[in-house]
Amino acid sequence: MPTIQPVKKAIIPVAGLGTRMLPATKAIPKELLPVTDKPVIQHVVEEAIAAGINEIILVTRSGKEAIENHFDAHFELETQLERKGKDIVLTSIKNIIPPHVQVISLRQPEALGLGHAILCARRVIGDHPFAVMLPDVLVMPSSAPGQLNDFSNMVKRWDETGHGQIMVEAVPDEEIHQYGIADIGAETLGVGQTAPLSAMVEKPKREEAPSNLAVVGRYVLPAQVMQLLKETKPGAGGEIQLTDALDELLKTDSLDAYRMASITHDCGNKLGYLKANIAMGLEHPELATGLKSYIKGLAQID
Ligand code: G1P
């Protein structure tokens, strides 16, 4: 068996306009809206770093420079905080990106779909395996002590098997048409388990879908995907779809569906974003107690 290269690069596509979150996102990238005290994208970057990623590749567009600034040093702010002795907050902004991690950004010149956004990073990926992390999706960290997060588990399974890993989650039938859907044949899939994929289909009609297992925004993929993306024609919605390239890859390579054990929140829509703030707030060391008693108080009113 050829040696399996470790996954060290993660592509985070951030070129979307965030129209589902307007008016909040008229001037602010949706990825910078805070969930508790950090922008949503910082949670995703921390999830990547926890899994051993050391190169974050942002695929971005004009008008979203604030995302790059968030991950850059801020000399004036740091000097002020240092002068005022605000050490804790200074450490929190200095440590957003640890020294061993690099953030690279490049542009997607036209909004031609997720597959096209990923393809824009092909020169940075070269012949390395890579992760794709969709920043709207916030994966709740595992609260069980010593337990790996789902994304770390996927990276570990890549290391063990060399099979690409696609995170999936069961969704209600009426939501199937919004997602890429996994076909795992007659297999059943328990949480935290993997099963070989036989096909993938982007946004099928409910009656044509092979299962209710939706692709939820975390992928670990071999480098060959880039070559396939170059040849992928526009699919669902007239866009170049990552799902279509992965379905093509399945003709020659193995991919596994990984069923997540945690919970996700879609921060790209208003209700999902509110829920994410409450769920993360209830886990936050400084905010949990106050938030819990506030929610209890509200519950008593009804
Ligand atoms: C994208 C993918 C889709 C996936 C979804 C998860 O779709 O194309 O396969 O299920 O993200 O959020 P989008 O939401 O960008 O339309």
Side-chain angles (χ1 to χ4, degrees), residues 59-90:
V59 180
T60 183
R61 57 174 286 132
S62 61
K64 301 192 87 172
E65 297 77 9
I67 299 177
E68 290 150 70
N69 295 344
H70 183 73
F71 293 114
D72 199 358
H74 190 323
F75 181 72
E76 192 185 347
L77 178 64
E78 288 171 22
T79 313
Q80 287 285 352
L81 292 171
E82 210 170 317
R83 206 173 286 157
K84 290 183 178 159
K86 302 208 169 193
D87 295 340
I88 296 175
V89 68
L90 175 65

Side-chain angles (χ1 to χ4, degrees), residues 40 135-140 169 263-269 271-280:
V40 60
D136 281 352
V137 181
L138 197 83
V139 180
M140 292 295 291
E169 175 174 41
I263 292 170
T264 56
H265 294 288
D266 180 0
C267 294
N269 76 72
L271 184 60
Y273 173 71
L274 276 180
K275 287 182 185 173
N277 264 291
I278 295 171
M280 292 294 276

Side-chain angles (χ1 to χ4, degrees), residues 20 114 134 137 178-181 202-203 214-217 219 239 241-243:
R20 287 186 297 159
L114 175 61
L134 304 187
V137 181
Q178 302 170 16
Y179 291 97
I181 299 293
E202 181 69 12
K203 302 194 174 82
V215 174
V216 281
Y219 311 71
E239 298 189 334
Q241 297 291 353
L242 176 60
T243 304

Side-chain angles (χ1 to χ4, degrees), residues 48-209:
I49 295 171
I53 299 292
N54 60 20
E55 206 172 308
I56 305 283
I57 302 144
L58 303 172
V59 180
T60 183
R61 57 174 286 132
S62 61
K64 301 192 87 172
E65 297 77 9
I67 299 177
E68 290 150 70
N69 295 344
H70 183 73
F71 293 114
D72 199 358
H74 190 323
F75 181 72
E76 192 185 347
L77 178 64
E78 288 171 22
T79 313
Q80 287 285 352
L81 292 171
E82 210 170 317
R83 206 173 286 157
K84 290 183 178 159
K86 302 208 169 193
D87 295 340
I88 296 175
V89 68
L90 175 65
T91 312
S92 79
I93 63 151
K94 272 188 145 176
N95 287 353
I96 291 177
I97 297 297
H100 72 283
V101 177
Q102 195 182 16
V103 178
I104 294 168
S105 73
L106 44 90
R107 299 278 177 113
Q108 182 185 21
E110 267 184 287
L112 298 178
L114 175 61
H116 178 259
I118 304 306
L119 186 60
C120 290
R122 66 190 178 280
R123 290 192 189 85
V124 184
I125 296 299
D127 55 6
H128 299 280
F130 61 100
V132 174
M133 305 176 83
L134 304 187
D136 281 352
V137 181
L138 197 83
V139 180
M140 292 295 291
S142 165
S143 48
Q147 188 131 351
L148 284 184
N149 288 337
D150 281 303
F151 179 63
S152 299
N153 264 327
M154 291 167 66
V155 169
K156 189 164 164 254
R157 282 176 205 224
W158 162 272
D159 290 343
E160 289 162 1
T161 62
H163 296 175
Q165 304 286 316
I166 315 291
M167 189 158 86
V168 299
E169 175 174 41
V171 294
D173 285 354
E174 59 278 13
E175 289 178 18
I176 282 176
H177 69 282
Q178 302 170 16
Y179 291 97
I181 299 293
D183 186 350
I184 55 164
E187 296 250 356
T188 50
L189 194 53
V191 291
Q193 290 181 347
T194 55
L197 278 161
S198 51
M200 288 176 71
V201 45
E202 181 69 12
K203 302 194 174 82
K205 289 191 188 129
R206 172 181 174 168
E207 54 282 10
E208 287 163 13

